[in-house]
Amino acid sequence: MRGIDNTQSYGRSQRLVIVAWLVACVVLFPVSLLVGSVDIPAADVVAALTGSDDVGREAWRVIVLESRLPAAVVALLCGAALSVAGLLMQTCFTNPLAGPSILGISTGAGLGVALVMLACGGAAVGVWGETAVIGGAFVGAMAVMLMLLALSAVVRSSIMLLIVGILIGYVTSSAISLLNFFATQEGVHSYVIWGLGSFTGVTPGRLPALAMMTVAALVVAMVFAKPLNAMLLGERYAASVGVNVARLRRALVLISGLLTAVVTAYCGPIGFIGLVVPHIARLTLRSSNHRYLLPCTALAGGAVGLLCLVVSVLPGQSGVLPINAITPIIGVPVILYVILNRRKIFYFN
């Protein structure tokens, strides 16, 4: 009876942590709608969201519905997507410092964008220009991911596949440097701005496609909780309990690659969130059980994404801070803590 009580207490505490992260998302979401370069009263924000005619100014309705609301949804979804992608990579490669960009998928997206901006001479603006940038990023990321999937059928070791991903990242980074060298000043400037990352660049018309792809990949990721738990104890143990390790590894690369590709295509290469948030989730959850860790990581990632969005618009009329200028402030202390306490954190009961 005591063992049953301990198990029930354990599960209850994990669920309470998950609920706490859900509450954090619920609190931060409306905060992100209230904060911005334009001071809009809370009553007018609510009126705009409910479709009421009592909004003080029509411009406020446009700002709330076409700028702040899409940005908040994007921050929530992309934070969750990058965090789950990072968790899948860390478990797949049994490496606490693995992240969504570790396989070169983000740099593949960057290469696609660099090619588009070089072709446009840096003038990738307007509806067609934005579509070309998103398409270029997605094609570049998917090309690297397909290359990795093909190599995963040949490379049996997860460590060797990780090294191959890093090498692909170096090669694509070199290609990007060469393209920027031959690009115009305007092209280099456009690429640098894209590389800073932003949750505010997705229009309401593009949001449904981003949401559908992200949510679908997140739902599929949740199905892999049981084999991921087996992978924590090593590939041999996973194989002994019936897990097809090679097939699982390809599936994990595919899902994490798709999540990374979608986020990078729409928001630019967002750093640190996918690397750091899985550890934040483990620290709060005190568990590596993916049955709880996967949803906890997704919610924690959504909360961190919303927090980064809120901080990015705090300067108000002075402008919006790049997301990649904020994430290291959160990420570096966590990574240092992880390095100093690696085994204690990565292998909770």
Side-chain angles (χ1 to χ4, degrees):
M1 289 297 294
R2 182 176 298 177
I4 295 174
D5 291 342
N6 288 338
T7 301
Q8 291 176 344
S9 176
Y10 170 81
R12 189 181 304 115
S13 65
Q14 313 311 311
R15 287 190 288 270
L16 286 174
V17 172
I18 293 173
V19 170
W21 280 115
L22 177 60
V23 171
C25 292
V26 172
V27 171
L28 286 168
F29 193 89
V31 171
S32 66
L33 300 179
L34 295 171
V35 179
S37 57
V38 179
D39 187 15
I40 303 177
D44 291 290
V45 172
V46 174
L49 292 173
T50 56
S52 173
D53 295 329
D54 296 333
V55 182
R57 299 178 185 176
E58 188 60 29
W60 290 352
R61 187 193 306 276
V62 175
I63 291 172
V64 172
L65 296 181
E66 297 187 13
S67 178
R68 293 187 184 179
L69 182 59
V73 175
V74 168
L76 181 68
L77 290 174
C78 292
L82 290 173
S83 301
V84 170
L87 175 61
L88 296 181
M89 289 294 94
Q90 289 170 11
T91 304
C92 178
F93 298 112
T94 322
N95 188 334
L97 298 181
S101 60
I102 197 70
L103 294 178
I105 295 171
S106 293
T107 51
L111 178 59
V113 171
L115 287 169
V116 169
M117 290 186 173
L118 180 63
C120 297
V125 295
V127 175
W128 292 110
E130 292 176 1
T131 302
V133 168
I134 293 173
F138 194 77
V139 169
M142 296 302 290
V144 173
M145 188 178 70
L146 290 174
M147 189 185 307
L148 286 169
L149 286 173
L151 289 170
S152 67
V154 179
V155 179
R156 299 297 180 183
S157 170
S158 294
I159 300 299
M160 292 304 298
L161 184 61
L162 183 65
I163 294 173
V164 169
I166 294 172
L167 292 176
I168 290 174
Y170 279 127
V171 172
T172 51
S173 294
S174 177
I176 291 169
S177 298
L178 289 172
L179 288 172
N180 280 326
F181 178 80
F182 291 106
T184 62
Q185 183 177 356
E186 185 181 1
V188 174
H189 177 74
S190 298
Y191 183 80
V192 169
I193 295 299
W194 175 82
L196 294 175
S198 174
F199 291 139
T200 60
V202 180
T203 61
R206 301 187 190 280
L207 185 57
L210 168 65
M212 285 189 293
M213 288 187 287
T214 303
V215 171
L218 287 173
V219 170
V220 173
M222 298 298 166
V223 177
F224 288 90
K226 188 174 180 179
L228 284 169
N229 284 337
M231 285 288 287
L232 284 176
L233 299 175
E235 293 185 3
R236 289 185 179 180
Y237 174 82
S240 70
V241 295
V243 176
N244 188 322
V245 175
R247 185 181 300 170
L248 175 63
R249 187 174 59 189
R250 287 194 292 269
L252 295 179
V253 170
L254 178 63
I255 297 169
S256 60
L258 179 61
L259 289 169
T260 306
V262 171
V263 173
T264 306
Y266 282 86
C267 305
I270 307 295
F272 274 101
I273 290 180
L275 176 61
V276 169
V277 172
H279 295 298
I280 296 176
R282 288 189 190 95
L283 287 168
T284 56
L285 197 64
R286 306 294 299 178
S287 173
S288 292
N289 185 345
H290 286 77
R291 177 186 172 189
Y292 302 106
L293 187 55
L294 276 167
C296 184
T297 300
L299 291 171
V304 170
L306 288 169
L307 178 61
C308 291
L309 175 63
V310 170
V311 173
S312 71
V313 298
L314 284 180
Q317 295 182 354
S318 299
V320 178
L321 294 174
I323 296 299
N324 283 331
I326 300 168
T327 52
I329 299 174
I330 301 172
V332 169
V334 176
I335 292 302
L336 290 175
Y337 187 81
V338 168
I339 292 173
L340 295 174
N341 300 272
R342 179 185 175 190
R343 295 194 65 83
K344 191 184 298 182
I345 293 173
F346 197 57
Y347 295 105
F348 280 124
N349 292 327

